[in-house]
DNA sequence: GTGAATGTTGCACTGACTGCAAGTTGTGCC
DNA sequence: GGCACAACTTGCAGTCAGTGCAACATTCAC
């Protein structure tokens, strides 16, 4: 449940907890069914049934079938932004971005089963891969905004800050593809660290 | 017609030329209507009518409504790959990637009208922006593959090559966003060159 | 000019997605 | 413990994207 909106904190009201589990159940059901029967062949009706809700309710949780497949998380952008801004004020931007990004990567791997299924799905469905890329771009945009938020500089004049955040994302993508090429042995986070070192974004020192 | 599959070459058979213009007409009609009435409100039927074909034919050219809006080009990946591989064999990879990427950027700006409308659309529709990001990712993937094709190295071992291509894409994205922040004055290609210099990808010298 | 490809169209159909209104369940309060 | 409000779920009816198929039209190659 590493990807639910509430972050899995045991607090929150009954209502909130139920919503979080329904959301997670829908995502899981969608991923499982997509792996069983294919992304296109699987219908929303089936996913809803598997998660124990009505088809209409499905759309109360995810705007589209694809959103359910990738486990779209409306709160993610806000949380990432806050995480970057919450880093110690003395910390350099690249270090802040690096830390938050690596934390995010660890979150992806946190549930190995789900992580594996998601990878599998992305590999099988080009449309889904494109969708995930879109989500990655959204993440990149948030990181860039947060980075400029820290420096307070003008995006029209300061290329450097945005470039740092984008290069960091490029490093993580490169790490992922290397990881795949290597048969997913070891941890993505470790590869991502190495890639970030290679591009000189926030290396310890 | 900077974005048509045949690249605007005056040769090709009548059939090919007709297909190319129909394709371009559909894209243009889609973009215009989307700007007029909104991406969602506009229907495929309207777009087809505006381009003078039946709705059924629309789907012979574009798989989805969004594909028509972004002017999806099935041949792009292949052309980019070839362009990278066609660079002089003595040329370093980063230089080859830089050259092809900059050429691609110039192609985007080639038709200022269309370029402006596309920007406008992306700014208005988040769904479309995500789609465009997906297309950007596909371009990145092709560049990476072509880069490895040039070096002949193993993607599982050689991180550097892929990283170079991805950093180059990051630079172009950063350049675009700076361009936007600056109100789109001047040329994107010039900003992209500066950004590529900043990250040290294929700088002259 | 003729036959083979290739492209266009209409038709019928599936399934994603939406607005609305009614029913159900959790929450806060006495 | 029960009441009143808010939030969530559901069914219904409808719109529209997208697809397979078969008939028709156009272009091509010789």
């Amino acid at each position: 449940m590493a990807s639910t909106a509430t972050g899995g904190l045991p607090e929150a009201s009954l209502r909130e907890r139920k919503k979080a589990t329904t959301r997670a159940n829908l995502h899981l059901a969608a991923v499982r069914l997509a792996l069983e029967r294919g992304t296109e062949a699987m219908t929303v009706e089936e996913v809803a049934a598997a998660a124990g809700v009505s088809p209409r309710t499905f759309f109360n949780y995810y705007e589209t079938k694809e959103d359910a497949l990738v486990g779209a998380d409306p709160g993610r952008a806000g949380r990432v932004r806050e995480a970057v801004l919450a880093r110690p004020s003395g910390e350099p931007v690249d270090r802040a971005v690096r830390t938050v990004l690596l934390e995010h990567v660890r979150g992806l791997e946190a549930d190995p089963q789900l992580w594996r299924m998601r990878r599998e799905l992305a590999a099988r469905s080009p449309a889904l891969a494109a969708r995930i890329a879109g989500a990655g771009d959204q993440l990149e945009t948030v990181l860039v905004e947060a980075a400029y938020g820290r420096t307070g500089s003008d995006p029209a004049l300061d290329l450097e800050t945005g470039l740092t955040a984008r290069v960091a994302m490029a490093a993580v993508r490169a790490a992922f593809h290397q990881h795949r090429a290597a048969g997913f042995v070891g941890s993505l986070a470790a590869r991502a660290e190495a890639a970030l070192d290679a591009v000189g974004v926030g290396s310890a020192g």
Side-chain angles (χ1 to χ4, degrees), chain A residues 121-178:
Chain A
L121 258 184
R124 288 198 211 167
S125 161
L128 210 55
R131 180 70 194 224
I132 291 169
D137 186 78
Q138 190 213 25
L139 177 59
E140 181 167 316
T141 299
V142 169
L143 281 176
V144 168
E145 286 170 3
Y148 279 113
R150 277 185 79 92
T151 63
S153 55
D154 180 356
L157 303 175
D158 171 24
L159 180 66
E160 181 67 16
T161 300
L163 209 40
T164 300
R166 291 183 195 279
V167 167
M169 279 294 296
V172 172
R173 276 194 294 268
F176 175 78
H177 285 269
Q178 186 196 31

Side-chain angles (χ1 to χ4, degrees), chain A residues 11-178:
Chain A
E11 19 180 309
S13 66
L14 171 60
R15 217 174 233 169
E16 289 306 314
R17 271 177 289 137
K18 272 187 149 184
K19 276 183 69 173
T21 56
T22 299
R23 197 176 182 81
N25 285 158
L26 282 169
H27 174 45
L28 195 57
V31 170
R32 284 208 181 116
L33 281 167
L35 285 173
E36 272 177 33
R37 337 199 319 108
T39 315
E40 307 300 323
M42 164 199 86
T43 72
V44 166
E45 199 174 344
E46 293 170 334
V47 176
V53 297
S54 74
R56 188 65 185 81
T57 296
F58 174 96
F59 289 108
N60 288 342
Y61 284 86
Y62 293 104
E63 293 192 1
T64 69
K65 192 166 79 162
E66 281 191 342
D67 276 0
L69 281 169
V70 303
D73 177 359
R76 190 182 72 161
R79 273 180 281 121
V80 168
R81 189 189 339 269
E82 291 315 306
V84 172
L85 298 178
R87 296 256 72 205
S89 60
E91 194 171 74
V93 206
D94 64 336
R95 187 82 197 157
V97 167
R98 178 194 179 104
T99 307
V100 171
L101 204 41
L102 283 174
E103 194 50 49
H104 188 259
V105 168
R106 287 189 202 99
L108 290 177
E109 293 184 302
D111 182 339
Q113 295 274 247
L114 195 54
W115 174 229
R116 186 194 173 82
M117 289 194 287
R118 282 169 157 176
R119 273 168 12 206
E120 188 62 33
L121 258 184
R124 288 198 211 167
S125 161
L128 210 55
R131 180 70 194 224
I132 291 169
D137 186 78
Q138 190 213 25
L139 177 59
E140 181 167 316
T141 299
V142 169
L143 281 176
V144 168
E145 286 170 3
Y148 279 113
R150 277 185 79 92
T151 63
S153 55
D154 180 356
L157 303 175
D158 171 24
L159 180 66
E160 181 67 16
T161 300
L163 209 40
T164 300
R166 291 183 195 279
V167 167
M169 279 294 296
V172 172
R173 276 194 294 268
F176 175 78
H177 285 269
Q178 186 196 31

Side-chain angles (χ1 to χ4, degrees), chain A residues 187-198:
Chain A
S187 96
L188 172 59
R191 289 188 195 274
E193 281 199 70
L196 285 164
D197 286 344

